Amino acid sequence: MDYEVIVIGAGVAGIYQIKRLADLGINATVLEAGGDLGGTWYWNRYPGARFDSESYTYGYSFSRELLDEWHWKEKFSGQPENLRYLNHVADKFGLRRFMQFNCRVDSAHYDEAANLWRLRIADGRTLTCRFVIMTLGLLSIPTLPRLEGMDSFRGRSFHTFHWPHEPVELAGKKVAVIGTGATGIQVIGEIADKVGELVVFQRRPNWSAPLNNSAISHAEMADIRARYDEIFATCARTPGGFEHEPDRRGFYEVSREERLALWDRLYDEPGFGIWLRNFREIFTDEEANAEFSEYIAERIRRRVKDPVTAEKLIPRDHGFGVQRVPMETNYFEAYNRDNVTLVDISETPIEAITETGLRTSQRDYEFDVIVYATGFDAITGAFDHIDIRGVGGETLREKWADGPSTFLGMLIHGFPNLLMPAGPQSGSASTNYPRGIETGVNWCTRLLEHMWAHGHDRAEATEAAEKRWTEHVVRMYAMMLMRKAKSWFTGYNSNVPGHEQGRIRYFVYNGGAPKYVATINDVAAKGYEGIEFGGAGQATPRDLVGGVSRAAE
Ligand code: NA7
């Protein structure tokens, strides 16, 4: 066997996972498809890419020294700085030597007789391991529209995820942006005043609100450092894993004036407060949601000068917050500029990409650059891209064809020794990712330690436990207005075969971080109820699991 553990993916989760394994002296490696570490922050280099989480709640919490030495320069830090941070973490803890880059895993097959996983790498190698840990990212498979002529365009075109590493000259250029999700909204706000001409092709508008970013001074950072314990404790007790706590007053218990006062305040505050500090009924009660959505619509009307454009930017098919809320900087003001045009492609669809631009049902456009901000094959897409086979050759792709089923979002019946610290239906999928990721990695690592301590060499979620968890996840959707929205939260993607119909996929756990953590801790405390173990009953000798591999040596 080549490794005791192979981790797939060197993003925020993979970096922390290998740190934990390295500390334990386990023979482990990380395989990463990209040319370097960083995951989301390695790939998404488009202008305007930044956190929507407060930077200091996004960073790792596991090392006091790291917390004490890192200065987040902005409340919502941008991609270059975020990538620098992840590199700093990897270098500080000597993790790079466990990582293999440009290493795409094509398949992972469980060999029942030998009780090991056999991974085929795109470079032709086969690697074996006892445990495989999937830290693949929830939004790591970008999806492009299926439009005629896409290869014929003679200018430059790319998905935001594949934004080139070298600077892209935009000054004076005619630029198209297709898509107005969180990504499109970041790009548009950032480039509107830098390009010659910008045409935004919008299929459905999204509700969004100001990010209200600002710099963090040395004095402010010193204050944040002094409060880190308190900050992480707050994140741990809020449903979203942020500092933002919902307003516990009942929506209907306070007057309309009090509601407006709260909303006026939240609109000017930084970050997701407008979403997560709001009344809880916004997520569950149609009327409450409609009243708040109308409040935000008024804000849009006040910011966008042309009333026709303003109305086009106001969503009609869903209420505020039932899809992931994009946070914006100068987004609505972009449409007040003479060089920016909004094209509603629900009225005039794109018919084809041409050699010189694109054609809608109404007219031809010429562009130098076409930016596809068209989203991702979310949550399960990265799993579907690897040929994963478990017991009896069952493929995960088939098993999850109608949506994922998991135990705690971390194990899958029929796929022993495969762990997902931040998998579909886990607590991290709907919360401030790194907070959920640390929880998931710690839990998976503890499970492995438990197994090594007891000489277990096989762990598999029982069918009953998986069914129970999945039904629990499904039941929680019943309360959420989110179930009605066509968004990646529920598995909708018009560019992925089988995902166009808006049939709900129960992707995320909606019970909130505290309940999730309590549940998984309880499972562990009860001796991993719901997991069947195989193997001896005495500790695995250290030399069988140890001797951490140093890929780069
Ligand atoms: P999203 O939120 O899935 O947004 C994708 C956008 O692209 C959305 O406006 C889509 O319109 C649009 N889209 C997708 N396919 C097409 C085609 N074929 N034609 C026209 N328009 C299209 O992805 P993002 O990258 O913005 O955000 C993903 C997450 O990244 C975000 O939530 C954060 O967590 C970070 P639609 O609404 O489907 O009509």
Side-chain angles (χ1 to χ4, degrees):
M1 203 163 56
D2 295 306
Y3 299 98
E4 178 71 5
V5 182
I6 292 182
V7 178
I8 309 181
V12 176
I15 292 170
Y16 181 46
Q17 184 62 72
I18 196 64
K19 161 85 173 86
R20 292 298 317 273
L21 294 169
D23 285 351
L24 292 169
I26 303 301
N27 176 22
T29 190
V30 186
L31 307 180
E32 165 57 53
D36 209 335
L37 59 84
T40 290
W41 303 107
Y42 170 80
W43 292 104
N44 288 282
R45 293 167 189 247
Y46 61 84
R50 61 177 63 254
F51 293 150
D52 294 320
S53 304
E54 283 73 9
S55 309
Y56 48 86
T57 72
Y58 190 100
Y60 295 111
S61 71
F62 66 80
S63 160
R64 170 61 59 182
E65 214 180 274
L66 175 62
L67 292 170
D68 284 345
E69 72 194 12
W70 187 262
H71 181 165
W72 289 108
K73 309 269 184 346
E74 290 178 275
K75 187 134 197 174
F76 303 94
S77 177
Q79 178 272 335
E81 184 75 348
N82 307 344
L83 187 57
R84 258 196 299 282
Y85 170 75
L86 293 175
N87 274 284
H88 172 76
V89 173
D91 293 338
K92 178 180 175 65
F93 297 107
L95 304 176
R96 198 174 267 283
R97 64 187 191 273
F98 306 120
M99 300 177 181
Q100 307 182 45
F101 301 119
N102 299 307
C103 204
R104 184 172 296 283
V105 177
D106 285 338
S107 69
H109 292 181
Y110 177 66
D111 177 337
E112 175 119 53
N115 184 33
L116 52 75
W117 282 90
R118 192 165 279 118
L119 274 51
R120 282 192 63 83
I121 319 299
D123 61 17
R125 286 182 298 157
T126 298
L127 297 174
T128 54
C129 58
R130 175 78 67 220
F131 298 98
V132 61
I133 302 189
M134 304 266 181
T135 49
L136 306 177
L138 299 172
L139 298 163
S140 49
I141 304 292
T143 49
L144 288 166
R146 292 170 281 180
L147 291 167
E148 192 192 311
M150 281 176 69
D151 292 336
S152 67
F153 180 57
R154 290 203 300 258
R156 302 194 70 185
S157 65
F158 25 78
H159 191 286
T160 43
F161 186 80
H162 289 129
W163 193 277
H165 286 207
E166 72 281 4
V168 178
E169 183 59 62
L170 293 175
K173 297 279 193 287
K174 290 183 186 162
V175 179
V177 174
I178 304 177
T180 51
T183 302
I185 284 175
Q186 284 187 332
V187 181
I188 292 159
E190 180 69 25
I191 68 172
D193 64 351
K194 301 181 179 68
V195 300
E197 201 182 306
L198 173 63
V199 184
V200 177
F201 294 90
Q202 171 188 275
R203 191 164 62 184
R204 287 185 310 145
N206 255 291
W207 293 105
S208 64
L211 180 64
N212 295 317
N213 191 20
S214 58
I216 298 179
S217 67
H218 282 281
E220 282 164 331
M221 196 61 223
D223 172 59
I224 289 166
R225 285 200 193 100
R227 290 189 300 106
Y228 261 131
D229 286 345
E230 187 192 316
I231 290 169
F232 289 124
T234 307
C235 292
R237 71 163 183 268
T238 60
F242 290 94
E243 277 187 298
H244 311 293
E245 295 195 59
D247 197 303
R248 303 259 166 212
R249 297 172 300 167
F251 184 95
Y252 297 106
E253 283 163 23
V254 300
S255 65
R256 164 109 176 129
E257 286 65 37
E258 283 171 290
R259 295 201 282 272
L260 289 174
L262 173 69
W263 295 340
D264 283 346
R265 187 156 55 72
L266 292 179
Y267 201 80
D268 294 333
E269 279 183 6
F272 277 138
I274 192 85
W275 195 20
L276 304 177
R277 277 188 201 277
N278 220 314
F279 300 101
R280 286 165 300 173
E281 288 85 346
I282 302 289
F283 296 101
T284 54
D285 180 300
E286 302 263 10
E287 260 178 61
N289 184 280
E291 185 181 318
F292 180 60
S293 299
E294 185 48 34
Y295 170 87
I296 296 288
E298 262 318 301
R299 287 290 195 152
I300 296 172
R301 291 183 187 110
R302 272 154 59 180
R303 289 174 60 186
V304 178
K305 287 192 191 130
D306 172 37
V308 177
T309 305
E311 292 310 312
K312 283 189 193 305
L313 290 165
I314 297 171
R316 314 278 166 196
D317 69 329
H318 68 282
F320 185 96
V322 305
Q323 294 184 179
R324 203 284 206 180
V325 177
M327 302 309 295
E328 48 85 19
T329 305
N330 298 326
Y331 176 64
F332 293 107
E333 286 69 23
Y335 295 100
N336 296 335
R337 300 180 55 85
D338 291 340
N339 66 333
V340 179
T341 314
L342 178 68
V343 175
D344 181 348
I345 52 173
S346 70
E347 287 171 1
T348 55
I350 299 174
E351 291 184 338
I353 304 295
T354 62
E355 286 184 13
T356 51
L358 65 77
R359 188 169 63 244
T360 67
S361 59
Q362 191 186 36
R363 56 165 279 203
D364 274 291
Y365 292 85
E366 286 192 2
F367 293 113
D368 303 305
V369 180
I370 299 179
V371 178
Y372 295 99
T374 44
F376 296 87
D377 187 354
I379 311 231
T380 49
F383 291 86
D384 289 343
H385 272 66
I386 302 175
D387 175 18
I388 302 170
R389 293 177 194 223
V391 175
E394 181 186 18
T395 68
L396 189 62
R397 217 178 273 152
E398 290 272 297
K399 180 177 165 109
W400 285 2
D402 293 332
S405 58
T406 72
F407 178 48
L408 309 175
M410 295 200 275
L411 292 100
I412 311 163
H413 175 66
F415 295 79
N417 295 353
L418 184 159
L419 300 175
M420 308 173 290
Q425 304 184 338
S426 76
S428 63
S430 58
T431 58
N432 192 2
Y433 286 167
R435 304 278 62 79
I437 281 168
E438 278 188 340
T439 304
V441 166
N442 289 339
W443 193 90
C444 289
T445 309
R446 244 176 85 199
L447 171 66
L448 292 175
E449 285 185 279
H450 172 87
M451 293 179 69
W452 290 319
H454 293 87
H456 298 315
D457 60 6
R458 190 182 193 279
E460 182 183 355
T462 65
E463 196 171 5
E466 177 174 295
K467 189 162 179 280
R468 240 188 354 262
W469 179 255
T470 304
E471 282 173 0
H472 176 57
V473 168
V474 169
R475 261 198 310 278
M476 264 180 296
Y477 271 78
M479 303 175 328
M480 309 293 290
L481 296 175
M482 174 212 283
R483 73 187 182 281
K484 298 188 173 174
K486 277 164 93 180
S487 87
W488 64 266
F489 267 7
T490 47
Y492 166 77
N493 185 321
S494 69
N495 312 307
V496 179
H499 289 237
E500 314 95 324
Q501 299 309 324
R503 178 184 50 199
I504 291 198
R505 284 174 161 75
Y506 299 97
F507 271 175
V508 297
Y509 170 83
N510 286 310
K515 264 197 203 142
Y516 181 73
V517 174
T519 307
I520 62 174
N521 286 345
D522 188 51
V523 167
K526 289 182 175 148
Y528 297 98
E529 204 173 50
I531 299 176
E532 247 166 31
F533 292 109
Q538 41 185 281
T540 309
R542 214 62 202 155
D543 55 347
L544 287 185
V545 294
V548 174
S549 126
R550 291 171 168 77
E553 284 176 6

